[in-house]
Amino acid sequence: NAGVTQTPKFRVLKTGQSMTLLCAQDMNHEYMYWYRQDPGMGLRLIHYSVGEGTTAKGEVPDGYNVSRLKKQNFLLGLESAAPSQTSVYFCASSRPTAGLQETQYFGPGTRLLVL
Amino acid sequence: RKEVEQDPGPFNVPEGATVAFNCTYSNSASQSFFWYRQDCRKEPKLLMSVYSSGNEDGRFTAQLNRASQYISLLIRDSKLSDSATYLCVVNRDDKIIFGKGTRLHILP
């Protein structure tokens, strides 16, 4: 099992450009998440999904869109990148039990630099 | 008050020593608790779950104190490889809240 994988690992964008980050998991997990991590800020939840075809906003959703067309994939889109979106992006997945979250498994991260 | 709070550190501890740090949470309805470890420029990984009865995994012991609303992590006989950031995670219903982490440096 590959676990959670993220593509790309690193990207440089110019302000205003768009891109899509891909997250894939092979553990048949229902829940998937996108976080960003910035120095001194910890992990902040951008969007999450509790199942195929469903998405919900997290703590910092502005400037991002997501889609969960297949259970194993969760895409994060930046329509018009801004320097404030320079960050490390982590995807995670989990399988809830009795309404509670189980362990989250994280991908290796995508480092994004917006110039 | 933040929902999950941790001392950011860094804790600079000589190799072989015992170190402990706490994480406080503000919502008494919080249901499950975890410690994650994050190495520099890597993803967070689960270290251990935290149960009401406490749990131990080798040199690591985690405790939950519901009355005072904190969880703790104790590391005995610390190794250089224990140097990392330790993240406290609190779950409530569908919400997962990460602390900002405590940095630990083990000194040779």
Side-chain angles (χ1 to χ4, degrees), chain B residues 10-20 59 75-83 104-108:
Chain B
F11 285 54
N12 296 310
V13 173
E15 190 176 8
T18 295
V19 60
R59 298 181 294 108
I75 306 174
R76 288 180 297 278
D77 187 23
S78 53
K79 311 291 185 192
L80 294 175
S81 57
D82 294 333
S83 296
L104 175 64
H105 295 158
I106 305 300
L107 308 172

Side-chain angles (χ1 to χ4, degrees), chain A residues 6-12 19 87 109-113, chain B residues 41:
Chain A
Q6 290 183 233
T7 310
K9 287 187 170 47
F10 179 71
R11 184 77 183 268
V12 179
M19 78 165 294
S87 188
T110 294
R111 283 169 173 72
L112 177 64
L113 174 62
Chain B
R41 300 179 71 80

Side-chain angles (χ1 to χ4, degrees), chain A residues 3-6 22-35 45-52 54-56 66-75 90-96 101 104-105 107, chain B residues 96:
Chain A
V4 180
T5 58
Q6 290 183 233
L22 171 64
C23 176
Q25 53 96 3
D26 61 3
M27 297 174 283
N28 201 34
H29 284 170
E30 289 294 330
Y31 285 36
M32 296 186 74
Y33 314 81
W34 275 108
Y35 294 90
L45 183 65
I46 304 171
H47 285 279
Y48 65 100
S49 167
V50 300
E52 183 179 323
T54 70
T55 63
V66 287
S67 65
R68 182 100 182 267
L69 298 179
K70 293 182 179 180
K71 186 177 183 178
Q72 63 268 34
N73 296 338
F74 196 27
L75 279 64
F90 287 105
C91 175
S93 71
S94 69
R95 178 174 49 228
Q101 293 302 314
Q104 284 196 321
Y105 294 86
Chain B
I96 301 172

Side-chain angles (χ1 to χ4, degrees), chain A residues 31 33 35 37 40-43 50 90 99-104 106-108 111, chain B residues 31-32 34 36 38 41-44 46 49 87 91 93-96 98-100:
Chain A
Y31 285 36
Y33 314 81
Y35 294 90
Q37 188 173 39
M41 300 295 291
L43 282 162
V50 300
F90 287 105
L100 295 179
Q101 293 302 314
E102 288 287 337
T103 305
Q104 284 196 321
F106 283 82
R111 283 169 173 72
Chain B
Q31 295 159 301
S32 55
F34 305 88
Y36 279 71
Q38 186 173 24
R41 300 179 71 80
K42 297 286 189 180
E43 71 272 26
L46 178 70
S49 303
L87 306 174
N91 291 356
D93 300 321
D94 255 359
K95 199 173 178 186
I96 301 172
F98 280 79
K100 292 185 179 180

Side-chain angles (χ1 to χ4, degrees), chain A residues 37-44 59, chain B residues 2 4-8 23 38 85-89 97-103:
Chain A
Q37 188 173 39
D38 304 291
M41 300 295 291
L43 282 162
R44 292 184 291 170
E59 182 186 352
Chain B
K2 291 188 175 62
V4 176
E5 292 200 73
Q6 295 184 251
D7 182 341
C23 164
Q38 186 173 24
T85 297
Y86 290 84
L87 306 174
C88 165
V89 179
I97 305 106
F98 280 79
K100 292 185 179 180
T102 296
R103 282 185 299 144

